[in-house]
């Protein structure tokens, strides 16, 4: 189960951590100033997903990196065009003569277009960008698959869709046979959709599909993170396509309703438009985030009211 938490207090920038049940690692989306982000969050961040590199989304990368150097782990960083050279510039701005070559490895996946991703690798102390491969998919590990779309904010902004993979377990209460390695074979057959695969145990042979009723499938949830974007048709169409019926979505709601003209000028969204696109996308739970720092608690409370009305179809 994906469990997101906003790590930014009122008046700070945006940073979201995503945790998984029964899992030691986490993910981070954007690196804005965020006092609730812990050292453990940084060290355990298997991957960092950057929407874009405006200062309020990227300023805290140095602090996160500081806690990762020395772990000897591989960290994956995903982001828009030019993210690789921007990260390289940050790393090269420090002196690394006392750091070992294997202190950390960064793999940077740069999103060139909807269908093209270039992957690089960097290590201390010179932080040379080494081309690894060109990719067509962004991220996939044991637990999570991450897809994306590119939104317009007068620069590319990456909106991320996280899917927790389904959990496949054996329902012991239903099994009348002795447990053994056949269970893992059965799970693999289910995942591969090989219903006719022969599973052998206790001197018997079964087609896998004859045993599927022993499996208990727990559906993984979905999570969307949609940050800065212009409130226009092209962006909205992309949002509706990728985030349709998503379980939970955090969406930028930078401006109040009365400031929507500023939103249009600055390629941002505002209360009713963010709520409306979530309603039209049939999202189950939508949460407005990333408000202008000029707003008071009362202003943000009003944004949430206007957002909720639009999300409920009252617009």
């Amino acid at each position: 189960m994906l469990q997101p938490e906003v790590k930014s207090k009122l008046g700070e920038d945006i940073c979201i951590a995503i945790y998984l049940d029964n899992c030691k690692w986490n993910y981070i989306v954007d690196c804005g100033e965020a006092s609730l982000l812990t050292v453990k969050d940084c060290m355990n961040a298997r991957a960092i997903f950057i929407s874009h590199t405006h200062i309020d989304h990227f300023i805290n990368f140095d602090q996160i990196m500081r806690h990762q150097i020395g772990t000897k782990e591989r960290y994956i960083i995903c982001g828009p065009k030019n993210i690789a050279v921007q990260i390289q510039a940050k790393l090269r701005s420090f002196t690394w003569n006392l750091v070992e070559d294997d202190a950390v490895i960064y793999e940077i996946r740069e999103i060139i277009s909807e269908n093209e991703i270039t992957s690089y690798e960097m290590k201390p102390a010179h932080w040379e960008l080494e081309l690894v491969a060109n990719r067509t998919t962004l991220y996939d590990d044991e637990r999570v698959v991450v897809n994306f779309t590119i939104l317009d904010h007068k620069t590319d902004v990456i909106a991320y869709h996280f899917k927790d993979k389904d959990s496949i377990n054996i329902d012991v209460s239903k099994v009348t046979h002795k447990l053994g390695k056949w269970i893992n074979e059965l799970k693999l057959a289910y995942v591969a959709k090989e219903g006719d695969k022969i599973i052998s145990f206790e001197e018997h042979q079964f087609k896998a599909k004859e045993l599927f009723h022993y499996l208990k499938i727990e559906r993984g949830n979905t999570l969307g993170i949609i940050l800065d974007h212009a409130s226009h048709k092209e962006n909205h169409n992309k949002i509706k396509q990728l985030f349709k019926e998503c379980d939970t979505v955090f969406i930028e709601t930078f401006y109040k309703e009365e400031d929507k003209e500023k939103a249009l000028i600055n390629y941002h969204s505002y209360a009713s438009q963010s709520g409306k696109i979530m309603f039209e996308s049939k999202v189950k739970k939508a949460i407005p985030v990333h408000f202008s720092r000029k707003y008071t608690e009362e202003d943000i409370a009003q944004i949430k009211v206007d957002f909720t009305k639009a999300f409920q179809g009252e617009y």
Side-chain angles (χ1 to χ4, degrees), residues 16 21-23 39 41 48 54 56 82 104 165 176 180 182-183 192 217 220 233 240 287 295 313-314:
I16 299 170
D21 56 321
N22 302 315
C23 190
V39 172
D41 290 332
I48 301 172
H54 282 166
D56 55 330
N82 299 319
V104 71
K165 294 181 179 178
T176 57
W182 65 271
I183 292 174
I217 313 301
K233 186 176 180 180
K240 285 188 282 188
I287 301 170
Y295 291 142
E314 301 174 16

Side-chain angles (χ1 to χ4, degrees), residues 264-283:
L264 296 175
I265 292 170
N266 294 316
Y267 286 69
H268 272 290
S269 190
Y270 55 97
S272 66
Q273 280 300 296
S274 289
K276 179 181 177 183
I277 193 57
M278 292 292 90
F279 171 78
E280 292 177 350
S281 300
K282 300 180 180 178
V283 168

Side-chain angles (χ1 to χ4, degrees), residues 152-154 228-232 262-269:
D152 172 32
H153 180 51
K154 212 172 182 180
D228 299 11
H229 64 284
S231 181
H232 59 50
K262 291 182 181 178
L264 296 175
I265 292 170
N266 294 316
Y267 286 69
H268 272 290
S269 190

Side-chain angles (χ1 to χ4, degrees), residues 29-279:
V29 180
D30 273 10
C31 304
E33 178 192 10
S35 57
L36 299 178
L37 192 70
T38 68
V39 172
K40 184 178 179 180
D41 290 332
C42 299
M43 295 178 67
N44 291 346
R46 177 176 279 191
I48 301 172
F49 298 87
I50 307 295
S51 66
H52 63 301
T53 55
H54 282 166
I55 192 168
D56 55 330
H57 296 258
F58 199 45
I59 188 66
N60 204 41
F61 175 80
D62 293 2
Q63 188 68 27
I64 294 172
M65 172 268 296
R66 180 183 183 186
H67 299 306
Q68 294 175 339
I69 299 293
T71 62
K72 299 190 176 183
E73 297 286 347
R74 171 184 289 271
Y75 297 98
I76 294 173
I77 304 172
C78 302
K81 283 183 293 188
N82 299 319
I83 187 72
V85 294
Q86 289 176 301
I87 290 173
Q88 183 187 49
K90 276 181 169 283
L91 291 166
R92 282 184 164 179
S93 68
F94 300 97
T95 301
W96 300 100
N97 62 301
L98 300 180
V99 174
E100 297 177 354
D101 293 346
D102 63 349
V104 71
I105 298 174
Y106 284 114
E107 180 184 339
I108 304 170
R109 298 178 182 177
E110 187 170 301
I111 298 167
I112 308 302
S113 69
E114 300 281 359
N115 302 304
E116 183 183 358
I117 301 159
T118 303
S119 180
Y120 301 92
E121 190 175 274
M122 284 199 304
K123 302 175 184 177
H126 300 293
W127 303 110
E128 297 289 348
L129 280 172
E130 298 181 12
L131 180 65
V132 176
N134 290 318
R135 306 171 55 91
T136 56
T137 59
L138 183 64
Y139 188 87
D140 187 348
D141 65 20
E142 307 96 299
R143 288 292 304 269
V144 171
V145 176
V146 184
N147 291 310
F148 69 92
T149 192
I150 302 173
L151 302 180
D152 172 32
H153 180 51
K154 212 172 182 180
T155 187
D156 286 357
V157 168
I158 313 301
Y160 295 101
H161 180 283
F162 295 79
K163 170 69 171 71
D164 188 16
K165 294 181 179 178
D166 297 344
S167 174
I168 304 172
N169 298 302
I170 195 78
D171 191 342
V172 178
S173 65
K174 293 181 179 179
V175 178
T176 57
H177 306 284
K178 184 178 179 179
L179 302 181
K181 67 178 183 179
W182 65 271
I183 292 174
N184 191 53
E185 294 175 1
L186 181 62
K187 291 180 181 180
L188 293 174
Y190 180 85
V191 172
K193 298 181 180 179
E194 296 176 346
D196 291 328
K197 182 178 180 179
I198 300 301
I199 306 292
S200 302
F201 59 91
E202 295 179 355
E203 300 181 353
H204 298 290
Q205 290 188 331
F206 299 89
K207 288 185 176 180
K209 62 186 176 184
E210 296 174 323
L211 304 173
F212 283 165
H213 64 281
Y214 289 146
L215 298 177
K216 179 169 59 176
I217 313 301
E218 296 180 6
R219 301 297 178 189
N221 63 328
T222 54
L223 169 69
I225 309 290
I226 306 170
L227 293 171
D228 299 11
H229 64 284
S231 181
H232 59 50
K233 186 176 180 180
E234 182 180 355
N235 278 345
H236 291 164
N237 286 340
K238 288 184 175 183
I239 288 170
K240 285 188 282 188
Q241 182 175 358
L242 183 59
F243 299 97
K244 182 180 179 182
E245 298 179 352
C246 198
D247 290 319
T248 303
V249 174
F250 288 75
I251 184 168
E252 176 238 339
T253 314
F254 201 75
Y255 283 105
K256 293 195 301 182
E257 195 67 21
E258 64 191 60
D259 292 334
K260 63 183 180 182
E261 293 301 323
K262 291 182 181 178
L264 296 175
I265 292 170
N266 294 316
Y267 286 69
H268 272 290
S269 190
Y270 55 97
S272 66
Q273 280 300 296
S274 289
K276 179 181 177 183
I277 193 57
M278 292 292 90
F279 171 78

